[in-house]
Amino acid sequence: MNQTYRPVFLVTGGAGFIGANFVLRMRQNNLAKIINLDKLTYAGNPQTLVSLAEDPEHQLVRGDIGNTELVAHLLDKYQPDAVVNFAAESHVDRSILNPGEFVQTNVVGTLNLLDASRGYWRRLSKDQANRDKCNRFRFLHVSTDEVYGSLGPTDPPFREDTPYAPNSPYAASKASSDHLVRAYYHTYGMPVLTTNCSNNYGPYQFPEKLIPLIILNALQGKPLPVYGDGQNVRDWLYVTDHCDAIALVLEKGKLGETYNIGGINEKTNISVVTTICEILDKLSPKAGLDRKSLITFVKDRLGHDRRYAIDCSKIDRELGWKPKESFETGLQQTVQWYLSNPEWVEAVQSGAYQTWIHQNYGDRK
Ligand code: NAD
Ligand code: DAU
């Protein structure tokens, strides 16, 4: 998209962690008008978007990407220049307990979104007045490094041509949606882009994921559950770096291509948990409490992938993207954000959250 033209994006899942960070970044810098389609599941939080309440160029629509009529209506009404698909069931542990919901949203929902977008894009192509919009149109699918499976300790990081080998129902559902996106490019010539990113962290992440869960438990003096031996490795990326990469791929990515995005920052889970304890002991000390003493090793996740690592040299080489935030600065800011936003924290720690925590951790003793 060039500098003078301000595009319209249909963002899905823009009330969740990464989607909301993306929407806030787009609106704060006035880079795009946003129609935000979100089902507002337990993971979608309109409070995250409260600063946009009076913004006429952001509109939150509660709805399902699997709702054919609604998606077609939004596309025709708002005539977006791009669809950016963040909407998903995203938590691996939940996919182990309830895989069906993951297939419904991540596979069937994405298929529906692709199909409706294809119809819209074809209608644009037939209308002379919409030729420019048709040429600009992009469908960007936000995916994960988990589609590539698990690495051994000395394996090279995942590249875009690493064969898919998803291990959890979540990863399998994301892999399936990635294949559908690819098929829409090869079969119909649809202008699609796919990004596969490593673990994100930062403000507004729902506290079922490792980093916010550990921050909040440590603050509240609760046990810090570490699955298995704590030696599983993840590659952590600060969320705004991911958002910037997505914006760049939208602007400059080559149609039909996939781009790996990562933090170049592999850490064992135990080292992440230990670092959070050290930061909190400095920022918010509690007399007589060394927070590391709260670390509790619990039963491992079923099929727990051992190591993820991303080779993000393609997006660096072709589009000039690199992560800006280091893990040290990013984690410090993240902990500080949770300390500074107790109202947001309290609102997400609702009844539904308590039920989940009980269900997931009750059996792990
Ligand atoms: P999240 O769970 O925080 O948010 C998902 C959002 O999607 C929520 O707002 C939810 O209400 C919405 N949603 C769920 N089902 C929907 C449906 N059927 N229709 C419309 N909206 C629906 O997830 P996240 O961590 O922000 O992840 C966003 C995307 O990025 C996902 O596709 C995920 O697979 C991918 N991803 C996440 C990470 C990570 O570390 N969190 C890393 C790489 C890729
Ligand atoms: O790699 C990208 C993926 O990262 C995204 O696609 C997923 O949407 C996102 O949820 C994340 O998946 P993980 O399973 O890696 O994230 P999670 O925060 O659930 O767990 C991170 C690691 O920490 C993992 O090895 C499991 C472990 N863990 C997790 C929790 C919640 C614990 O040891 N204790 C916990 O309580």
Side-chain angles (χ1 to χ4, degrees):
M1 313 287 167
N2 67 39
Q3 291 297 319
T4 45
Y5 180 79
R6 202 152 40 85
V8 179
F9 293 164
L10 174 62
V11 171
T12 70
F17 165 50
I18 306 172
N21 273 285
F22 180 80
V23 167
L24 289 170
R25 215 158 168 77
M26 287 290 122
R27 288 308 309 136
Q28 279 153 7
N29 298 304
N30 205 16
L31 295 174
K33 301 180 202 174
I34 306 284
I35 311 305
N36 187 348
L37 172 63
D38 196 298
K39 190 177 170 185
L40 298 180
T41 67
Y42 77 94
N45 186 351
Q47 207 175 324
T48 303
L49 300 165
V50 78
S51 63
L52 303 181
E54 305 297 320
D55 182 344
E57 304 217 319
H58 170 257
Q59 187 166 344
L60 180 60
V61 178
R62 183 172 197 178
D64 193 325
I65 57 167
N67 180 335
T68 309
E69 291 75 33
L70 175 63
V71 174
H73 164 74
L74 293 175
L75 289 165
D76 283 339
K77 179 167 179 192
Y78 294 104
Q79 305 258 303
D81 299 275
V83 172
V84 189
N85 183 28
F86 292 94
E89 287 295 334
S90 70
H91 191 35
V92 173
D93 291 317
R94 287 183 190 257
S95 82
I96 294 166
L97 287 176
N98 192 0
E101 267 182 44
F102 285 69
V103 172
Q104 202 51 46
T105 283
N106 301 0
V107 185
V108 180
T110 300
L111 176 63
N112 187 61
L113 197 62
L114 276 166
D115 230 25
S117 301
R118 182 167 78 94
Y120 163 68
W121 173 65
R122 284 190 58 208
R123 285 191 290 283
L124 289 181
S125 74
K126 289 190 177 137
D127 179 356
Q128 195 58 37
N130 273 321
R131 265 297 146 90
D132 283 353
K133 196 172 272 279
C134 178
N135 291 337
R136 275 194 304 268
F137 184 70
R138 301 285 182 271
F139 183 104
L140 189 148
H141 179 60
V142 179
S143 192
T144 172
D145 60 358
E146 301 204 10
V147 296
Y148 299 119
S150 185
L151 293 169
T154 57
D155 288 338
F158 302 128
R159 293 160 37 114
E160 287 78 359
D161 55 4
T162 301
Y164 273 30
N167 290 320
S168 70
Y170 162 70
S173 69
K174 291 296 291 188
S176 174
S177 62
D178 293 9
H179 290 325
L180 287 167
V181 172
R182 176 190 161 92
Y184 270 61
Y185 174 73
H186 285 275
T187 306
Y188 307 113
M190 230 178 102
V192 305
L193 298 153
T194 300
T195 54
N196 293 88
C197 189
S198 63
N199 286 62
N200 284 215
Y201 68 102
Y204 304 111
Q205 189 168 27
F206 191 78
E208 64 186 352
K209 306 282 166 70
L210 180 71
I211 289 183
L213 182 113
I214 294 298
I215 295 172
L216 297 185
N217 277 19
L219 262 176
Q220 293 158 12
K222 292 181 185 163
L224 309 180
V226 175
Y227 297 170
D229 63 3
Q231 295 303 318
N232 300 66
V233 171
R234 297 293 182 265
D235 172 2
W236 293 97
L237 178 70
Y238 194 66
V239 64
T240 52
D241 276 328
H242 187 188
C243 295
D244 290 348
I246 289 168
L248 193 61
V249 172
L250 261 179
E251 190 186 336
K252 295 190 176 151
K254 193 167 162 229
L255 296 184
E257 294 283 308
T258 67
Y259 294 89
N260 279 356
I261 304 169
I264 321 173
N265 178 47
E266 291 182 54
K267 302 277 178 208
T268 60
N269 293 337
I270 190 67
S271 77
V272 170
V273 173
T274 305
T275 309
I276 294 172
C277 291
E278 288 164 358
I279 297 175
L280 271 175
D281 284 347
K282 281 202 190 104
L283 291 182
S284 182
K286 221 172 181 180
L289 178 64
D290 171 359
R291 287 189 167 91
K292 286 195 210 80
S293 68
L294 299 170
I295 292 174
T296 309
F297 289 91
V298 298
K299 199 169 123 197
D300 210 353
R301 173 184 280 175
L302 293 178
H304 195 175
D305 284 340
R306 193 63 172 169
R307 173 177 165 239
Y308 303 142
I310 275 275
D311 177 343
C312 53
S313 56
K314 176 178 172 182
I315 188 172
D316 181 8
R317 196 175 53 248
E318 295 187 8
L319 308 184
W321 176 91
K322 272 189 177 55
K324 292 195 183 102
E325 208 66 61
S326 73
F327 191 60
E328 290 63 36
T329 56
L331 195 59
Q332 186 86 19
Q333 286 176 54
T334 304
V335 173
Q336 189 57 63
W337 187 87
Y338 281 90
L339 284 171
S340 309
N341 288 277
E343 302 84 13
W344 187 92
V345 168
E346 207 173 309
V348 296
Q349 289 191 317
S350 65
Y353 174 78
Q354 292 306 335
T355 308
W356 160 249
I357 292 294
H358 183 71
Q359 199 179 2
N360 191 44
Y361 294 98
D363 297 337
R364 289 185 182 273
K365 304 240 161 59

